[in-house]
Amino acid sequence: MVSETQHLTPVSATDVQIDGGFWNARQITNRDRTIPAITHQMEITGRIDGWRLHWDEGKPKPSMQQYAHFWDSDMGKWIEAIGHSLRTHPDAELEKSTDEVIDLIAGAQQPDGYLNIYFTGIDPQNKWRNLRDWHELYNAGHMVEGAVAYFQATGKRKLLDVMIRYVDLIDSKFGPDEGKKRGYCGHPEIELALVKLYHATGEQRYLNLSKYFVDERGQQPHYFDIETRERGDDPAKFWAKTYRYCQAHLPIREQTTATGHSVRANYLYAGVADIAAETDDAGLVDISRSIWDDLTQHQMYITGGLGPAHANEGFTFAYDLPNETAYAETCASCALVFWAQRMFMIDPDGRYIDVLERALYNNVLAGVSYEGEHFFYANPLASYPNVNPFDRFSGITSEQHYHRSEWFDCPCCPPNLARLVASIGDYFYVATADTLYVNLYNQNHARFQFGGSDVQIEQQTDYPYDGAVSFTISADQPTTFTLALRVPDWCREYSVEVNGSQYIANPERGYVHINREWSNGDQVKLSLSMPVERMLAHPQVRQDAGNIALQRGPLVYCLEEVDNGAGLANVVIPPDAELTAERDDSLFGGVSIIRGEALRIEPAQWNGGLYQPQSAVKQTQKPFTFTAIPYAFWANRQPGEMRVWIRES
Amino acid sequence: MVSETQHLTPVSATDVQIDGGFWNARQITNRDRTIPAITHQMEITGRIDGWRLHWDEGKPKPSMQQYAHFWDSDMGKWIEAIGHSLRTHPDAELEKSTDEVIDLIAGAQQPDGYLNIYFTGIDPQNKWRNLRDWHELYNAGHMVEGAVAYFQATGKRKLLDVMIRYVDLIDSKFGPDEGKKRGYCGHPEIELALVKLYHATGEQRYLNLSKYFVDERGQQPHYFDIETRERGDDPAKFWAKTYRYCQAHLPIREQTTATGHSVRANYLYAGVADIAAETDDAGLVDISRSIWDDLTQHQMYITGGLGPAHANEGFTFAYDLPNETAYAETCASCALVFWAQRMFMIDPDGRYIDVLERALYNNVLAGVSYEGEHFFYANPLASYPNVNPFDRFSGITSEQHYHRSEWFDCPCCPPNLARLVASIGDYFYVATADTLYVNLYNQNHARFQFGGSDVQIEQQTDYPYDGAVSFTISADQPTTFTLALRVPDWCREYSVEVNGSQYIANPERGYVHINREWSNGDQVKLSLSMPVERMLAHPQVRQDAGNIALQRGPLVYCLEEVDNGAGLANVVIPPDAELTAERDDSLFGGVSIIRGEALRIEPAQWNGGLYQPQSAVKQTQKPFTFTAIPYAFWANRQPGEMRVWIRES
């Protein structure tokens, strides 16, 4: 299986034209609203000016309080989002203004190649002194990703060359060789970025450096202990208490469960999968599968959210999935998408794409408002007035309802989400020498090469609201290859027709494989049955006991107060309730909603104190027709309560 | 009603001899185990040695890290517990060793009367510079309470005189007069202590000072702003964010709801009620009732626990009562007992004692282990492995189960609980010129004066496990007074017999009033029907929706894993389950447990991932006989899950 990995290649979004449907609408919003909103924030917060390395009176100056030691990463993701967008939708004006920023960045590079706003301009004496906390390599990684994306979109090497010089400096400072420090970053990210740089440049050293970072992590003597003592501090006083927080408690080959800060974790695991693929490392493949299974079978919200806890922005323990206080950071689900794609590369199985799709259509999309200019950092699965997943215990929150923000002091999520939406075409198809895996469904045209043939494929579908997908193949000559159509885990009945004839095959590892000689105009129809499903959580998830969640296709639904009134804890969807999906064109450009009969179980009246004998309370069960909307679109209308998990009795 | 307050007097525990039953057992444990355990901690932590004001090499030295700025308060409560204990159970050895500690304390008093271990010995330059955070007046208050209790028990004035000198110094420094600072304590406590000192000494200045502290709180210009600026700090950077934390956001006469740190809150409200009673202040009575109603009708756990939140150790918002993460500090429920008693003094109504009893028999008693030497600070209403109400979000707790501790860095709870248990006799009876209110039921003999007569009353009962209470009256001559027997809010059927004849009267404000001429040997029988009650929470308590709690008499029950297996979230007590109370003499010296039929609703098997369509899961409903024990006794056996609120479907 691993030996196959060498041959798996995601089809670049460059060759995938999303020309309608669900993702076209999201990408338009991303280009027209989200990226410009982020650009605006980059300007007014001083992040662009920061590269000038001098600060005019009255203008924002980078400081630790402003999280300026992460500024470069925000910039890197923003440039990456622009790069992905330009790749499929060229925009001369956007390219020009980005070139100007890149000129500034290049001007900030130090003679030795060093590049970092904060540590160059504000705190140069602390360069490379605290890899555990201060994110220099993480910043470098995001800038590398931005540089590669911009280069791939525009062919312009300026930023790429800047980052190559910087990475060469990093390579000269860190590694196993005599005279180098055996360091690695507290916030993994550079590992996967270096693999991208290796692919963009063909330079093996970058792959080697990435592999070094992966393997060195958590080794003894522990680098974070060493550098802490060098600063005169006591490693035992680490503010996060344990190196589990940054997945450095053990060497990666001894790790078997997902732990710590969930964004760091998923970036690291993505990098590990990259190294496993590139170096044919069966041990790392096994480790990756073990951590994957733990994460997806014990620690993932039904929305694809990760990390229930605010304190460590991460994982707690198996089956601990509180809803109101779920942290479930937008970035963590973006990172899960990145990792899932890479797991598919080392182990081509639809189960990875099932998780990718769950995260994408639910937690990731909830991270941005429908209009595109407001963002969630934390994505709870239930919301109640005065409850804020950032500050559950303060008792002094003044905000009536949790809502999306224009920006954050630490704005990692908005550009992360923007770069993912801009590059969504990259996730549609994966090709091998003889197989085309179709992983995501949405209206699009795409081009491939099989043997010497140019092949085109067109999808027509209203997915994710409808499970019917029509494919039209075009080829300049009859061409033999396997079309592997993903049958998602949520789908229990499906059918395939090829040129009008039923095609019968059992899915293998999540795919129906259609191997034939394809001719111009061949038609394939995939029908994925998409009933409303009442979902249960594993019985050890105590927070969901006695509750169901509604899912249809890849979409998880929720009840909002604006549709259903307040007091959602007293709403019950009985086991025999009929549930129907309906199109509502008045909402969010047209979505499928779910309606059905529910009961509101409440006392006819409540006399006296907080607690009453049940025998003294006359409960009423008032039937009403509930409306559930996709979780991805919650908090876009009148604010109020929200719940994903609903009582069923 | 207020005018009546002058005549209400709690009967001192000095005159109440608890000679058997529930509270006798708890008091024996308190004397033999709890107080000695606290004494041991006082010794080994350096709290006793601290009064020497010099620190030998290797011995504990007070420091801010050790919460030494609260040490005096621990000492005050510990001496108070000993005082209460000596009052009813003289112990020459204990008195002698306490006298020696008092000698040390007296030796630490400064020439001007100042007394505080931390600010005398460690940080004298910061005396009186941060009343908001550093608890000097709070410490003084607890030491005053200790001094008064010790004086009342032993007649010895040494500590009382020390505290009088210190309070005179405080009185010279704080107040409305020219040349004094308009300060008050960030942690209320001294208000109620000064009223005790006023009662012990008759000195009106102490009452005036208390009234000043009550009225000055929250006035503008704000004292905490002023002192913060005097320290060169910015009031806007207050670590607790808002003066609501310390109930100083508004003058007390503008406050209507319970807010902030729950121990501070209840101590303040108790002091307010004292001032209302002593000064016949109808405005303060109204304010007290308003806050009381808010607290008990919107913000109190069924266990009498207060304050759901760790971050502010206090209140959040109405109907927000999470169970697993409930903070519900032991001290807060002790303070609620103190306040409830004082509310009764200004407004003689059984509803205050109903709450007092709820807090006492549930949250307060859960604060100490059955054997008496381990303590809870936080008292959650549900417990699950790895979940700690102090650290819900860390994700890195290493303790498998939440359990009681021998001690705490900030050990406010153990001596608070010890002083309350030692003085429990003070809460049994309240006398006016012509009425004897019987507030708590337990085996005891007590003595009163009515007119010129000596009256004795004896209770025989197995309360709280049985609702039958027999009273025998002895009097040296026939004496007319009203015996007012409390009919608790949980009791819906009761009967009274006087000398074998049924006595019919409707309770007024929670009491059956029996006015007659009592003769030697008169017998009264009160029968309080005590069925097992299925309790519901108000429908706005979302955390309890669909759940019931079991209560019998004043005791709230819980399910523990040791009796019922793990997975308590999947246990359902159906609406028609028969519930029976049974005596179990093998547990905790003999308690009533509750048994009944429950269902364990679980999948027959669980295949695959975390989330499954309900239609693919075969649920099984396995009946079993559950066992519930009083919440007061949880976590005394094999550790495991616990739940108070149980699903009913």
Side-chain angles (χ1 to χ4, degrees):
Chain A
M1 188 179 317
V2 179
S3 59
E4 191 183 354
T5 63
Q6 309 289 6
H7 314 294
L8 282 160
T9 316
V11 175
S12 168
T14 315
D15 295 319
V16 180
Q17 194 182 348
I18 298 170
D19 47 13
F22 184 90
W23 284 107
N24 189 48
R26 301 321 302 146
Q27 285 201 323
I28 290 170
T29 300
N30 197 49
R31 285 196 300 274
D32 293 352
R33 309 291 294 270
T34 305
I35 292 175
I38 296 169
T39 303
H40 175 67
Q41 293 290 342
M42 290 284 161
E43 287 164 354
I44 65 173
T45 59
R47 277 170 171 75
I48 293 175
D49 262 0
W51 294 107
R52 299 182 200 274
L53 302 182
H54 62 82
W55 292 278
D56 300 330
E57 192 65 38
K59 286 206 169 178
K61 179 178 175 181
S63 72
M64 199 65 103
Q65 287 69 42
Q66 294 170 299
Y67 297 90
H69 46 313
F70 311 157
W71 275 17
D72 308 44
S73 71
D74 306 326
M75 181 72 48
K77 279 184 278 191
W78 169 66
I79 291 173
E80 187 184 345
I82 292 171
H84 293 315
S85 183
L86 293 176
R87 193 150 50 104
T88 55
H89 293 81
D91 177 333
E93 197 179 332
L94 178 60
E95 187 172 330
K96 180 165 175 292
S97 60
T98 309
D99 286 343
E100 289 166 9
V101 174
I102 289 170
D103 289 343
L104 284 180
I105 295 170
Q109 187 160 38
Q110 299 302 292
D112 64 354
Y114 189 80
L115 185 77
N116 182 298
I117 292 179
Y118 182 78
F119 286 102
T120 302
I122 302 298
D123 196 15
Q125 66 278 19
N126 280 316
K127 271 200 285 190
W128 306 129
R129 293 195 68 210
N130 188 343
L131 297 190
R132 189 191 70 188
D133 298 333
W134 289 345
H135 291 53
E136 277 160 296
L137 295 171
Y138 162 84
N139 283 316
H142 274 305
M143 287 293 289
V144 164
E145 286 200 90
V148 169
Y150 198 74
F151 165 67
Q152 289 172 338
T154 63
K156 293 177 178 169
R157 291 191 60 96
K158 186 163 193 171
L159 185 57
L160 186 68
D161 287 337
V162 163
M163 293 315 299
I164 286 171
R165 281 190 63 210
Y166 185 23
V167 170
D168 288 345
L169 174 71
I170 293 168
D171 188 37
S172 75
K173 292 210 171 288
F174 298 100
D177 309 328
E178 190 69 26
K180 295 185 181 179
K181 290 190 177 189
R182 298 187 72 106
Y184 46 88
C185 195
H187 197 315
E189 205 288 330
I190 195 168
E191 296 80 0
L192 71 90
L194 287 170
V195 176
K196 285 191 177 181
L197 188 63
Y198 160 64
H199 286 154
T201 63
E203 175 56 71
Q204 178 77 27
R205 275 190 301 116
Y206 305 144
L207 182 63
N208 296 348
L209 183 59
S210 172
K211 179 171 157 50
Y212 156 77
F213 284 139
V214 163
D215 277 327
E216 185 63 23
R217 190 169 208 86
Q219 300 288 352
Q220 295 292 345
H222 204 287
Y223 183 75
F224 294 162
D225 286 353
I226 294 166
E227 64 160 19
T228 303
R229 288 198 197 94
E230 284 176 359
R231 294 195 306 272
D233 293 335
D234 178 359
K237 293 189 178 153
F238 178 32
W239 60 272
K241 299 184 194 168
T242 159
Y243 293 149
R244 296 181 78 91
Y245 174 72
C246 38
Q247 298 79 40
H249 55 305
L250 286 173
I252 189 69
R253 288 166 202 274
E254 296 170 32
Q255 296 192 31
T256 54
T257 58
T259 193
H261 186 286
S262 56
V263 182
R264 297 176 194 231
N266 281 267
Y267 284 163
L268 173 64
Y269 307 149
V272 170
D274 272 342
I275 297 299
E278 296 299 335
T279 65
D280 248 344
D281 187 325
L284 286 185
V285 172
D286 287 345
I287 288 296
S288 295
R289 280 210 203 91
S290 166
I291 298 176
W292 177 269
D293 289 346
D294 174 62
L295 181 142
T296 57
Q297 292 184 24
H298 305 148
Q299 305 204 68
M300 181 180 72
Y301 286 99
I302 194 169
T303 52
L306 299 178
H310 174 208
N312 66 344
E313 300 191 295
F315 299 107
T316 56
F317 54 89
Y319 302 115
D320 184 41
L321 295 163
N323 292 305
E324 257 186 20
T325 56
Y327 200 66
E329 184 178 336
T330 302
C331 279
S333 290
C334 292
L336 177 59
V337 169
F338 306 148
W339 182 29
Q341 174 85 338
R342 286 164 173 83
M343 288 304 293
F344 183 84
M345 295 299 136
I346 58 175
D347 183 13
D349 191 314
R351 71 193 187 106
Y352 302 111
I353 310 302
D354 292 337
V355 169
L356 185 157
E357 193 180 45
R358 183 179 290 285
L360 190 61
Y361 278 102
N362 299 291
N363 198 103
V364 169
L365 281 182
V368 59
S369 61
Y370 177 68
E371 43 77 355
E373 298 182 355
H374 291 80
F375 306 96
F376 273 144
Y377 201 110
N379 294 278
L381 282 81
S383 193
Y384 195 82
N386 298 309
V387 177
N388 184 332
F390 285 94
D391 198 11
R392 169 66 187 83
F393 283 165
S394 80
I396 44 175
T397 49
S398 56
E399 303 187 54
Q400 182 68 0
H401 289 280
Y402 182 59
H403 57 259
R404 294 186 184 85
S405 304
E406 284 190 350
W407 198 240
F408 306 97
D409 288 340
C410 175
C412 49
C413 297
N416 217 348
L417 191 143
R419 67 176 177 148
L420 175 53
V421 173
S423 63
I424 196 66
D426 289 337
Y427 298 86
F428 277 48
Y429 302 99
V430 171
T432 70
D434 58 6
T435 301
L436 180 68
Y437 290 97
V438 185
N439 283 347
L440 296 184
Y441 300 118
N442 193 87
Q443 192 170 315
N444 75 89
H445 294 79
R447 296 178 312 173
F448 317 89
Q449 288 275 329
F450 277 106
S453 300
D454 278 328
V455 178
Q456 289 202 40
I457 191 166
E458 180 188 347
Q459 289 188 34
Q460 289 288 350
T461 179
D462 192 32
Y463 197 93
Y465 302 125
D466 190 276
V469 191
S470 299
F471 302 84
T472 305
I473 313 288
S474 313
D476 54 359
Q477 55 187 330
T479 305
T480 300
F481 65 93
T482 299
L483 184 68
L485 301 178
R486 179 171 151 263
V487 179
D489 61 347
W490 51 258
C491 177
R492 289 182 292 159
E493 281 184 38
Y494 69 93
S495 65
V496 179
E497 279 180 24
V498 178
N499 292 328
S501 301
Q502 202 175 357
Y503 180 88
I504 296 184
N506 286 326
E508 289 170 35
R509 309 190 85 209
Y511 291 83
V512 173
H513 293 254
I514 312 172
N515 179 260
R516 71 194 301 273
E517 189 184 70
W518 298 95
S519 301
N520 217 15
D522 279 346
Q523 298 275 338
V524 177
K525 287 195 176 169
L526 172 67
S527 292
L528 301 167
S529 174
M530 201 180 260
V532 179
E533 296 278 11
R534 301 168 68 101
M535 301 295 290
L536 291 180
H538 189 283
Q540 279 186 256
V541 183
R542 66 200 186 283
Q543 292 96 348
D544 299 337
N547 286 255
I548 57 162
L550 301 177
Q551 185 174 338
R552 181 170 177 271
L555 296 172
V556 173
Y557 281 70
C558 67
L559 267 58
E560 281 197 297
E561 180 178 334
V562 64
D563 297 312
N564 302 286
L568 296 179
N570 299 324
V571 170
V572 162
I573 301 181
D576 58 355
E578 199 173 319
L579 306 174
T580 54
E582 293 175 23
R583 183 80 180 181
D584 186 336
D585 285 319
S586 72
L587 286 179
F588 314 121
V591 300
S592 289
I593 59 171
I594 297 173
R595 286 177 180 270
E597 286 301 299
L599 300 173
R600 191 181 299 279
I601 302 184
E602 280 173 341
Q605 56 183 30
W606 189 267
N607 300 317
L610 256 177
Y611 305 102
Q612 298 292 329
Q614 191 171 38
S615 55
V617 175
K618 186 175 159 3
Q619 293 277 20
T620 59
Q621 299 197 342
K622 294 182 200 150
F624 74 104
T625 302
F626 78 81
T627 299
I629 66 159
Y631 174 79
F633 294 121
W634 87 275
N636 278 298
R637 296 172 292 162
Q638 191 179 310
E641 290 181 38
M642 182 277 290
R643 272 175 84 111
V644 168
W645 291 96
I646 311 291
R647 288 169 54 198
E648 71 161 349
S649 59
Chain B
M1 186 179 319
V2 178
S3 59
E4 192 184 355
T5 63
Q6 310 290 5
H7 313 294
L8 281 160
T9 317
V11 175
S12 167
T14 315
D15 295 318
V16 180
Q17 194 181 348
I18 297 171
D19 47 13
F22 185 90
W23 283 108
N24 189 47
R26 302 321 302 147
Q27 285 201 321
I28 289 170
T29 302
N30 195 50
R31 285 196 301 274
D32 292 353
R33 308 292 294 271
T34 305
I35 292 174
I38 296 170
T39 302
H40 175 66
Q41 293 290 343
M42 289 284 162
E43 287 163 356
I44 65 172
T45 60
R47 278 170 170 74
I48 292 175
D49 262 0
W51 293 107
R52 299 180 200 274
L53 303 182
H54 61 82
W55 291 279
D56 299 329
E57 192 65 36
K59 285 206 169 177
K61 179 178 175 181
S63 73
M64 198 66 101
Q65 287 68 42
Q66 293 170 300
Y67 296 90
H69 44 314
F70 311 158
W71 276 16
D72 308 44
S73 71
D74 306 327
M75 181 72 46
K77 279 184 278 191
W78 169 66
I79 291 173
E80 187 184 345
I82 291 172
H84 292 316
S85 183
L86 293 176
R87 191 150 52 105
T88 55
H89 294 81
D91 177 332
E93 198 179 331
L94 178 60
E95 187 171 329
K96 180 166 174 294
S97 61
T98 309
D99 285 343
E100 290 166 8
V101 174
I102 288 170
D103 289 343
L104 284 180
I105 295 170
Q109 188 160 37
Q110 300 301 293
D112 64 354
Y114 188 80
L115 185 78
N116 183 298
I117 292 179
Y118 182 78
F119 286 102
T120 302
I122 303 297
D123 197 13
Q125 67 277 20
N126 280 316
K127 270 199 288 192
W128 305 130
R129 294 197 67 212
N130 187 346
L131 297 191
R132 189 191 70 188
D133 298 333
W134 289 345
H135 292 51
E136 276 160 297
L137 295 170
Y138 162 84
N139 282 316
H142 274 305
M143 288 291 289
V144 164
E145 286 201 89
V148 168
Y150 199 74
F151 165 67
Q152 288 172 338
T154 63
K156 292 177 179 169
R157 290 191 60 96
K158 185 163 195 172
L159 185 58
L160 186 68
D161 287 337
V162 164
M163 292 315 300
I164 285 172
R165 280 190 63 211
Y166 186 21
V167 170
D168 288 345
L169 174 71
I170 292 169
D171 188 37
S172 75
K173 291 211 171 287
F174 298 99
D177 308 329
E178 190 69 27
K180 294 184 181 181
K181 289 190 178 189
R182 298 188 72 107
Y184 47 88
C185 195
H187 197 314
E189 204 289 332
I190 194 168
E191 296 80 0
L192 70 89
L194 287 170
V195 175
K196 285 190 177 181
L197 189 62
Y198 160 65
H199 286 155
T201 62
E203 174 56 71
Q204 177 79 25
R205 276 190 300 116
Y206 304 144
L207 181 63
N208 295 348
L209 182 60
S210 173
K211 179 171 158 48
Y212 156 76
F213 283 139
V214 163
D215 276 327
E216 186 63 24
R217 190 168 208 86
Q219 300 288 351
Q220 294 293 346
H222 203 288
Y223 183 75
F224 294 163
D225 286 352
I226 293 166
E227 65 160 20
T228 303
R229 287 200 197 93
E230 283 174 359
R231 294 194 307 271
D233 293 335
D234 178 0
K237 293 190 177 152
F238 178 34
W239 60 273
K241 298 183 194 169
T242 159
Y243 293 148
R244 295 182 79 91
Y245 174 71
C246 37
Q247 298 80 40
H249 56 305
L250 287 173
I252 190 69
R253 289 166 202 273
E254 296 171 33
Q255 297 191 32
T256 54
T257 58
T259 192
H261 186 285
S262 55
V263 182
R264 296 175 196 233
N266 281 268
Y267 284 163
L268 174 64
Y269 307 150
V272 170
D274 272 342
I275 297 300
E278 297 299 335
T279 64
D280 249 344
D281 188 324
L284 286 185
V285 172
D286 286 345
I287 288 296
S288 295
R289 280 210 203 92
S290 166
I291 299 176
W292 177 270
D293 289 346
D294 175 62
L295 181 143
T296 57
Q297 292 184 23
H298 305 149
Q299 306 204 68
M300 181 181 72
Y301 285 100
I302 193 169
T303 52
L306 299 179
H310 175 206
N312 66 344
E313 299 191 296
F315 298 107
T316 57
F317 54 89
Y319 303 114
D320 184 41
L321 296 163
N323 291 304
E324 257 184 21
T325 56
Y327 200 66
E329 184 177 337
T330 303
C331 279
S333 290
C334 292
L336 177 58
V337 169
F338 307 147
W339 182 28
Q341 174 85 338
R342 286 164 172 82
M343 288 304 295
F344 183 83
M345 295 299 137
I346 57 175
D347 182 14
D349 191 313
R351 71 193 187 106
Y352 302 110
I353 309 302
D354 292 337
V355 169
L356 184 156
E357 193 180 45
R358 183 178 291 283
L360 189 63
Y361 278 101
N362 299 291
N363 197 101
V364 169
L365 281 182
V368 59
S369 61
Y370 176 68
E371 44 77 358
E373 297 182 355
H374 291 79
F375 306 95
F376 273 143
Y377 200 109
N379 293 278
L381 282 80
S383 193
Y384 195 83
N386 299 309
V387 177
N388 184 333
F390 285 94
D391 198 11
R392 171 62 187 85
F393 282 163
S394 80
I396 44 175
T397 49
S398 56
E399 303 187 56
Q400 182 70 359
H401 290 280
Y402 182 59
H403 57 260
R404 293 185 184 85
S405 304
E406 284 190 349
W407 198 240
F408 305 97
D409 288 340
C410 174
C412 49
C413 297
N416 217 348
L417 192 143
R419 68 177 177 147
L420 175 53
V421 173
S423 62
I424 197 67
D426 289 336
Y427 298 87
F428 277 47
Y429 302 99
V430 171
T432 69
D434 58 7
T435 301
L436 180 68
Y437 290 98
V438 185
N439 284 346
L440 296 184
Y441 300 116
N442 193 89
Q443 194 170 315
N444 76 88
H445 294 80
R447 296 179 311 173
F448 316 89
Q449 288 275 328
F450 276 106
S453 302
D454 278 329
V455 178
Q456 289 201 39
I457 191 167
E458 180 187 347
Q459 288 189 34
Q460 288 289 350
T461 179
D462 192 30
Y463 196 92
Y465 301 126
D466 190 276
V469 192
S470 299
F471 301 85
T472 306
I473 312 290
S474 314
D476 54 2
Q477 56 187 330
T479 306
T480 300
F481 65 92
T482 298
L483 185 67
L485 301 178
R486 179 170 150 264
V487 179
D489 61 347
W490 50 259
C491 177
R492 289 182 292 158
E493 282 184 37
Y494 69 94
S495 63
V496 179
E497 279 179 25
V498 178
N499 292 329
S501 301
Q502 201 175 356
Y503 181 86
I504 297 186
N506 286 327
E508 289 169 35
R509 309 189 85 212
Y511 292 82
V512 172
H513 293 254
I514 312 172
N515 178 258
R516 69 195 301 274
E517 188 184 70
W518 298 94
S519 301
N520 217 15
D522 279 346
Q523 298 276 338
V524 178
K525 287 195 175 167
L526 172 68
S527 292
L528 301 168
S529 175
M530 203 180 259
V532 178
E533 296 278 12
R534 301 168 67 100
M535 300 297 289
L536 292 181
H538 188 284
Q540 278 185 258
V541 183
R542 66 201 184 283
Q543 292 97 346
D544 299 336
N547 286 256
I548 57 162
L550 301 177
Q551 185 174 337
R552 181 171 176 272
L555 296 172
V556 173
Y557 281 71
C558 67
L559 266 59
E560 282 198 296
E561 181 177 334
V562 63
D563 297 311
N564 302 285
L568 296 179
N570 299 323
V571 170
V572 162
I573 301 181
D576 58 355
E578 199 174 320
L579 306 173
T580 53
E582 293 175 22
R583 183 82 180 180
D584 187 334
D585 285 318
S586 71
L587 285 180
F588 314 122
V591 300
S592 289
I593 59 170
I594 296 172
R595 286 175 180 272
E597 286 302 298
L599 300 172
R600 191 180 298 281
I601 302 184
E602 280 174 341
Q605 55 182 31
W606 188 266
N607 301 317
L610 257 177
Y611 306 102
Q612 297 292 329
Q614 191 171 37
S615 55
V617 176
K618 186 175 159 8
Q619 294 277 21
T620 59
Q621 300 198 341
K622 293 182 202 152
F624 74 104
T625 301
F626 77 83
T627 299
I629 67 159
Y631 174 79
F633 294 121
W634 88 275
N636 277 297
R637 295 172 295 163
Q638 192 179 310
E641 291 181 37
M642 180 277 289
R643 271 176 84 110
V644 168
W645 290 97
I646 311 292
R647 288 170 54 198
E648 72 162 349
S649 59

